[in-house]
Amino acid sequence: MDFPEFSSGIEDKEAVVQSLFWVGGALCLVATILPLVLLFRPSRLLRQAALWVLLAGTGAISAAAILVISRSLDLHLTLLSITPQLALSFRLDKLSCFFVVIIGAVSFCAVIYSITYIAHYKSERSKQFLTSGLAFFILAMLLVVASSTTFGFLFFWELMSLSSFFLVMFDLDKPETQKAGIFYFAMTQMGTIFLLASFLLLYRFTGSFDISAAGNIPQWGKGLVFVSLFIGFGTKAGIIPFHKWLPYAHSASPSNVSALMSGVMLKVPIYGLVRFIIDVFRPDLWWGIVLLFFGSITALLGIIYAFKEHDLKKMLAYCSIENLGVIVVGLGLYVIFDFYGLRVQADLCIYGALFHTLNHALFKSSLFMTAGSVVQATGTRDIEQMGGLIKRMPGTGAIFLVGACAIAALPPLNGFASEIMIFQAYLTSFSLGRPILEILLMAGLAALALTSTLAAACFAKAFGIIFLARPRSGAASAAKEAPFAQLLAPGILAALCVGFGVFSYQLISNVKSGMPLPDILPIGIIVLVLTGVTFLLLLLTRSPVRKTETWGCGIPSQTGKMEYSGDGFSEPIVTVFKPVFRTRKLSTREFYDKYNSIPKSSSGEIGTLKFFEERLYVPIARFFMKIAGAVSNLHNVDMDALILYSFIAVVLVILGVGWWL
Amino acid sequence: MNWNTAVYIVMNPLFALVLSPLVLGLIKTVKARIQGRPGPPVLQQYYQLRKLFHKEIVYSEDSSFIVRLGPYLGIAFMLTASLFVPMVFIPQTGWFGNIILFFYLMITAKFFMVLGGLDAGSTFGGMGSSREMTVSSIIEPVTIMSCAALAFVLKTTSIPEMFRTLLAGSIFSYPTLILVGISLFIILIVESARVPVDNPETHLELTMIHEAMILEQSGPKLALVELASGVRQTVLMALLINVTFPWGLAGLAGCASLLLAAVTMAVKMLILAATVGLFESLLAKIRFFRLPDFFMIALFLSFITIVFELLR
């Protein structure tokens, strides 16, 4: 009342945000419907128009979210209310808007990328479908993080899962896509079941579907809800051992979709974790330890698996698992430090985790887009078939290099800027004063350090094998540079990677002052100056430059086949981590005679044991198949047994009703 | 920025740059003497650099801008990293000094060298790059654990602050630092590619790691690469020296004290260089896949330090 102008200013802002949000959502919906209007007479014009509308829609929603963050607003909006309890209502506060900005901005770039990327598919029908699915997927993700009720959250979560499932199944003729689709569908539904269970538990305890009302529930119920939420969100985020769908789904889907799935969709469960674990509940210590443990394992195994992969998109997918692990480590550490009241370290971890979420969205979607251009240009995802692409696709190569440096956590880029926050928290944890816990933390620190250099090794390999040296196949030597839009979109993201890295200190101090972090801006300036100075000094030597062929020990001419291969590059690390990879050797021999002396045929097979798939998933699946078999046996019986069933059922019902009353 | 910091920013990298060939030369001389050879003159490395700067540059036809840009970035990142370890006097701390950033700057320099090794399409380069990345991945947890040990003992993550704390105490104040010192020595051996990890003197496929990776560099570019690895070694030596025996480091800048401190540092550095040469002569190269066992010693010692510090 004292400051009427000020409060009316706030209301104005709220009105603006509200209208931007609705308009943005409506535009996304229009973009979903537009390509499908003329289903049987697909038109290129409508498809293009839909992409532009989608661009405007994501732009509008991002603008609304940025306004909310910069003005610290807290808005409640309701779209539809079936009953006062079951409503699709939204809450735009700083946390949800942070994720809305990530989703909006990355989707914006992905849509730019799609303008030319979609055009390379053959059938006009599939192009329409892809455009429409993309718009719907983006809209669903935006609405999940904006939801303020568990009901709305789950509703849009399912829409997100389904729309992404259809996008994964885009190339459904390929057997690999079918496998990916089934894996994805089964696992994502399993995750949803756990989410549903925890939301129903919350409803049972609080009598409300409102997310923010879930705070006051008994201790044991809280633990149960946490485990259930962790499995539900962990499945979607690719936390090991719930990760197996991720590499399949990411490699099978079109590249603009995998950029969105990896860059953005994996962040939605992180939002869920942050919202429920940190904002709504007051977490226990063991939650933090669980998060830290699974996060560290995920990060380490994710990058070790990525290192061996030579399918480019699968490698990127495993790297996403690694980065999600790092984020979960940050959340776990936050819980631990917060529990013991170490404010500075807790802040470092939570802001580090959120910053890494943003950074991963930027560099991973940039990498997926450039990888998509590479795959489009060479027609293969196998990096052993690539090589020498930097001369043929210089723009794509340079952008990939920036992304690779960022994901490898090299200063002064953004991947480092967020990882150092977590390192810093680890290193300054000496005031914790709990020796046993501290030893656990140090094991986590060693794992994180190993993870981050393995990431550097992995991307040195990826960039080196894909872009450097000679082409290893005809397709690679015939590759052409990607069209402008496919350079612009990842280029914007790569520029943001540099910006968020160099100015990270300034950014973070804007959000929260007093963090014990190094300022990276002067480092960037000094490196730039020193590079320039050495360059100029070297010009002074006026050394003549000669070009000749690579020395090959006197071989007349070298071919691409003689180069070091990706497998060769990863061999030493694979050997060091042999126990993790679990190589499996099978050999069979057949003989003509019974004394096994005249060999008839033999076969040998050597491969990696897919540990989680073969030792965890398949046994569980077998178990359920067995139960299903047993149940189906109950059906195949004669009349007498059926009468017995009915009798038992009636007795049980009577007993149950009697007990109830 | 006051003039104290300005002097530091110019002086510290320059000190490392000028001293590093001498350190390398001395190690070579010590090794040669132990093997019963006269060996090259101690200043040979300087002559070598001068020679390289006057030679032509040869590029492979298959190579791209990476191999051209790599040496510049390598030396730039290494010199920036050298700002983080005060060698002559301790400046007022500012934006530099974070120990994690220090080690990551060194990794960045290495990353571009590794890409340079892959660029020409030579099998030697690829082999060297692959092995270099393997070694540096496995040593990294050890490095970060040593950082953690230092941070736990000295209650700070800034290297200049650590040295200041050490200077204020006596030689018996932090006995556990001896253990960290051994860890840092192993890290020094690994990072500067010395026996028993790598052999800087041979060009045989079986032993070479670092030397294979830079095989395609030539002329002034090779000189830059050599300088960068020299600076890497000098800076790590300075870190080890100042952690275990910081006395002689000037607290503040002043002409006379600076000169004295520089001479003291140089003497300490040369003593350490002789030790490294002796150490190298006493050991045989370890088989590549046995290296993790060697690194585990360092990891263990850092871990023990942390445990001691926690139980104190």
Side-chain angles (χ1 to χ4, degrees):
Chain A
M1 281 295 125
D2 290 340
F3 305 101
E5 302 91 347
F6 180 66
S7 67
S8 76
I10 287 283
E11 268 161 30
D12 275 357
K13 289 281 178 307
E14 289 194 348
V16 170
V17 168
Q18 205 162 345
S19 41
L20 272 176
F21 183 73
W22 291 132
V23 167
L27 285 177
C28 290
L29 202 59
V30 168
T32 312
I33 298 164
L34 209 53
L36 300 179
V37 171
L38 298 173
L39 190 57
F40 299 103
R41 290 228 329 277
S43 108
R44 188 170 166 276
L45 193 70
L46 273 184
R47 196 185 72 233
Q48 294 286 12
L51 284 176
W52 288 107
V53 169
L54 186 55
L55 209 58
T58 49
I61 289 192
S62 312
I66 288 173
L67 256 178
V68 169
I69 294 177
S70 61
R71 305 280 160 186
S72 303
L73 303 178
D74 191 350
L75 264 77
H76 290 267
L77 315 167
T78 303
L79 174 65
L80 173 80
S81 147
I82 303 164
T83 70
Q85 281 286 346
L86 292 175
L88 296 182
S89 54
F90 304 109
R91 178 179 178 202
L92 299 176
D93 65 346
K94 270 187 165 177
L95 182 59
S96 61
C97 279
F98 176 71
F99 282 85
V100 170
V101 169
I102 294 179
I103 297 172
V106 173
S107 305
F108 187 81
C109 293
V111 174
I112 297 180
Y113 181 83
S114 304
I115 293 174
T116 54
Y117 181 80
I118 287 185
H120 91 279
Y121 280 101
K122 292 275 181 312
S123 121
E124 200 61 38
R125 179 78 59 78
S126 61
K127 290 182 196 174
Q128 308 285 56
F129 171 75
L130 187 55
T131 313
S132 167
L134 201 65
F136 194 61
F137 180 43
I138 293 171
L139 179 66
M141 286 192 293
L142 285 167
L143 295 183
V144 177
V145 296
S147 286
S148 71
T149 59
T150 50
F151 171 69
F153 189 92
L154 206 63
F155 179 74
F156 292 117
W157 177 274
E158 269 306 273
L159 287 186
M160 173 181 88
S161 301
L162 284 179
S163 53
S164 55
F165 167 69
F166 284 117
L167 291 172
V168 168
M169 291 295 277
F170 183 70
D171 287 324
L172 85 169
D173 310 330
K174 296 183 191 159
E176 119 187 271
T177 307
Q178 291 163 6
K179 183 180 180 191
I182 287 173
F183 243 102
Y184 180 49
F185 192 74
M187 296 209 63
T188 202
Q189 287 312 306
M190 185 197 91
T192 309
I193 287 170
F194 277 98
L195 282 190
L196 184 64
S198 49
F199 289 166
L200 288 178
L201 270 175
L202 281 180
Y203 181 71
R204 169 86 180 67
F205 286 122
T206 61
S208 156
F209 284 115
D210 204 345
I211 289 181
S212 52
N216 298 318
I217 62 173
Q219 198 65 26
W220 63 272
K222 220 165 74 169
L224 205 61
V225 170
F226 166 70
V227 170
S228 181
L229 279 177
F230 179 68
I231 296 176
F233 286 132
T235 310
K236 198 73 174 175
I239 300 301
I240 288 176
F242 318 115
H243 66 290
K244 204 65 213 194
W245 63 271
L246 210 142
Y248 290 130
H250 280 63
S251 61
S253 48
S255 295
N256 52 351
V257 175
S258 23
L260 274 180
M261 280 176 63
S262 188
V264 186
M265 191 183 73
L266 298 183
K267 307 303 175 310
V268 174
I270 294 297
Y271 165 77
L273 276 177
V274 174
R275 174 64 86 189
F276 276 102
I277 292 175
I278 282 137
D279 189 37
V280 175
F281 295 128
R282 174 117 188 78
D284 289 336
L285 179 62
W286 65 270
W287 298 17
I289 294 174
V290 166
L291 288 173
L292 178 64
F293 178 77
F294 279 99
S296 301
I297 299 261
T298 304
L300 192 53
L301 285 184
I303 195 66
I304 290 178
Y305 288 142
F307 200 73
K308 195 168 186 226
E309 203 55 63
H310 45 77
D311 177 328
L312 173 56
K313 286 171 80 175
K314 266 192 189 156
M315 186 205 83
L316 290 175
Y318 274 120
C319 265
S320 291
I321 295 178
E322 176 241 317
N323 278 288
L324 267 291
V326 172
I327 295 169
V328 172
V329 165
L331 296 182
L333 285 177
Y334 165 80
V335 172
I336 293 174
F337 291 136
D338 189 51
F339 188 84
Y340 286 113
L342 269 66
R343 259 328 327 149
V344 179
Q345 284 80 355
D347 283 342
L348 270 175
C349 289
I350 187 71
Y351 286 107
L354 288 176
F355 194 30
H356 199 69
T357 309
L358 169 67
N359 292 338
H360 178 246
L362 295 176
F363 53 65
K364 187 46 72 63
S365 38
S366 166
L367 282 171
F368 259 115
M369 288 178 199
T370 40
S373 303
V374 167
V375 171
Q376 200 182 341
T378 58
T380 174
R381 296 201 309 259
D382 185 1
I383 61 171
E384 308 285 16
Q385 305 291 320
M386 299 173 185
L389 290 179
I390 195 140
K391 296 207 196 66
R392 288 153 190 89
M393 312 174 74
T396 308
I399 295 167
F400 190 92
L401 180 61
V402 174
C405 291
I407 200 171
L410 300 181
L413 298 178
N414 62 349
F416 173 76
S418 43
E419 277 192 18
I420 196 178
M421 296 174 80
I422 294 170
F423 274 124
Q424 192 74 12
Y426 264 127
L427 255 65
T428 53
S429 65
F430 40 74
S431 42
L432 192 62
R434 297 279 187 294
I436 302 294
L437 190 59
E438 197 69 69
I439 286 170
L440 182 75
L441 288 189
M442 286 304 117
L445 172 62
L448 186 64
L450 187 58
T451 306
S452 88
T453 30
L454 279 177
C458 181
F459 277 87
K461 169 192 158 190
F463 184 78
I465 303 297
I466 298 170
F467 287 100
L468 300 181
R470 288 193 171 193
R472 291 177 175 78
S473 69
S477 48
K480 291 268 180 328
E481 179 65 291
F484 178 70
Q486 275 167 262
L487 291 176
L488 178 67
I492 295 173
L493 293 168
L496 285 175
C497 286
V498 178
F500 280 154
V502 174
F503 295 102
S504 58
Y505 180 74
Q506 286 73 6
L507 262 169
I508 299 284
S509 0
N510 233 338
V511 179
K512 178 96 188 171
S513 55
M515 294 269 206
L517 285 174
D519 189 353
I520 299 184
L521 178 61
I523 306 289
I525 294 172
I526 287 189
V527 167
L528 211 60
V529 168
L530 281 174
T531 311
V533 168
T534 25
F535 180 73
L536 290 179
L537 283 179
L538 220 60
L539 280 185
L540 288 182
T541 62
R542 286 204 215 98
S543 313
V545 173
R546 186 158 57 90
K547 272 192 162 188
T548 179
E549 72 175 309
T550 306
W551 182 64
C553 302
I555 295 169
S557 71
Q558 278 196 301
T559 67
K561 292 262 183 259
M562 298 176 190
E563 285 162 11
Y564 222 56
S565 64
D567 275 346
F569 192 93
S570 45
E571 204 275 334
I573 289 185
V574 171
T575 309
V576 170
F577 293 103
K578 209 164 33 189
V580 177
F581 287 110
R582 297 185 167 250
T583 312
R584 183 178 47 183
K585 293 174 191 164
L586 286 176
S587 65
T588 53
R589 299 173 87 181
E590 279 182 54
F591 299 93
Y592 280 109
D593 59 325
K594 58 182 176 182
Y595 303 109
N596 289 354
S597 55
I598 309 169
K600 186 175 174 186
S601 69
S602 62
S603 70
E605 193 184 315
I606 182 162
T608 319
L609 177 72
K610 291 174 180 159
F611 179 74
F612 287 100
E613 201 171 323
E614 291 174 26
R615 293 287 156 85
L616 186 69
Y617 293 18
V618 172
I620 290 178
R622 279 213 195 101
F623 175 69
F624 279 104
M625 290 298 276
K626 222 178 234 173
I627 292 180
V631 170
S632 93
N633 277 342
L634 290 181
H635 289 259
N636 300 328
V637 286
D638 53 8
M639 201 57 176
D640 300 351
L642 286 176
I643 292 172
L644 179 68
Y645 292 165
S646 339
F647 177 70
I648 293 174
V650 168
V651 169
L652 284 179
V653 166
I654 291 171
L655 285 177
V657 169
W659 177 75
W660 180 262
L661 294 174
Chain B
M1 196 173 2
N2 53 4
W3 73 266
N4 188 310
T5 319
V7 167
Y8 175 79
I9 288 179
V10 177
M11 195 173 154
N12 215 46
L14 216 58
F15 185 79
L17 205 57
V18 171
L19 200 63
S20 60
L22 180 64
V23 171
L24 278 173
L26 188 73
I27 294 179
K28 278 200 172 145
T29 311
V30 170
K31 280 176 77 174
R33 287 290 151 80
I34 291 175
Q35 290 162 2
R37 297 182 282 125
V42 181
L43 298 181
Q44 179 62 37
Q45 290 296 318
Y46 293 100
Y47 308 145
Q48 197 116 14
L49 285 174
R50 199 185 60 193
K51 182 186 78 185
L52 283 175
F53 273 117
H54 287 97
K55 290 202 126 189
E56 67 169 353
I57 304 178
V58 183
Y59 290 126
S60 159
E61 282 154 359
D62 300 323
S63 65
S64 65
F65 71 89
I66 294 290
V67 82
R68 291 161 175 74
L69 195 66
Y72 298 124
L73 287 176
I75 189 91
F77 274 104
M78 270 326 298
L79 287 178
T80 313
S82 74
L83 277 176
F84 283 55
V85 182
M87 291 180 218
V88 180
F89 73 99
I90 305 176
Q92 279 138 358
T93 38
W95 42 265
F96 50 80
N98 187 294
I99 192 161
I100 301 166
L101 183 50
F102 166 67
F103 279 107
Y104 271 81
L105 284 171
M106 299 218 294
I107 291 181
T108 313
K110 195 179 279 179
F111 185 79
F112 285 103
M113 287 290 96
V114 165
L115 289 187
L118 286 167
D119 198 14
S122 148
T123 315
F124 295 107
M127 195 181 290
S129 293
S130 157
R131 289 176 181 174
E132 178 96 356
M133 233 39 233
T134 308
V135 169
S136 87
S137 302
I138 302 169
I139 195 68
E140 186 63 13
V142 183
T143 316
I144 296 292
M145 201 52 88
S146 313
C147 295
L150 283 174
F152 272 55
V153 175
L154 301 168
K155 310 291 178 218
T156 171
T157 52
S158 154
I159 299 177
E161 282 302 316
M162 285 177 185
F163 294 172
R164 212 190 300 279
T165 316
L166 281 167
L167 268 184
S170 78
I171 195 163
F172 300 114
S173 307
Y174 305 101
T176 42
L177 283 187
I178 303 292
L179 298 179
V180 186
I182 300 174
S183 279
L184 285 177
F185 185 77
I186 292 178
I187 292 167
L188 164 71
I189 294 289
V190 176
E191 290 283 343
S192 51
R194 309 221 138 258
V195 177
V197 176
D198 187 4
N199 192 345
E201 264 133 48
T202 62
H203 283 190
L204 286 170
E205 297 100 276
L206 285 178
T207 53
M208 60 190 185
I209 301 177
H210 184 79
E211 290 295 321
M213 190 173 68
I214 61 174
L215 210 58
E216 290 296 324
Q217 300 284 1
S218 55
K221 292 293 180 73
L222 181 60
L224 286 185
V225 172
E226 297 278 351
L227 267 176
S229 26
V231 169
R232 177 195 301 273
Q233 184 177 4
T234 312
V235 170
L236 282 170
M237 282 175 141
L239 180 66
L240 171 58
I241 289 171
N242 285 338
V243 163
T244 47
F245 195 83
W247 293 277
L249 207 58
L252 275 174
C255 252
S257 65
L258 270 191
L259 201 64
L260 184 67
V263 172
T264 327
M265 188 66 200
V267 170
K268 284 193 280 188
M269 199 80 92
L270 294 181
I271 293 173
L272 181 58
T275 319
V276 170
L278 190 68
F279 182 78
E280 260 196 299
S281 311
L282 292 178
L283 288 182
K285 182 163 173 333
I286 300 179
R287 204 165 76 85
F288 189 73
F289 290 114
R290 302 297 290 276
L291 284 178
D293 305 348
F294 179 57
F295 300 167
M296 280 310 122
I297 302 172
L299 185 70
F300 175 73
L301 290 176
S302 299
F303 202 74
I304 285 286
T305 313
I306 293 175
V307 172
F308 277 147
E309 197 55 35
L310 288 173
L311 299 178
R312 210 155 63 119

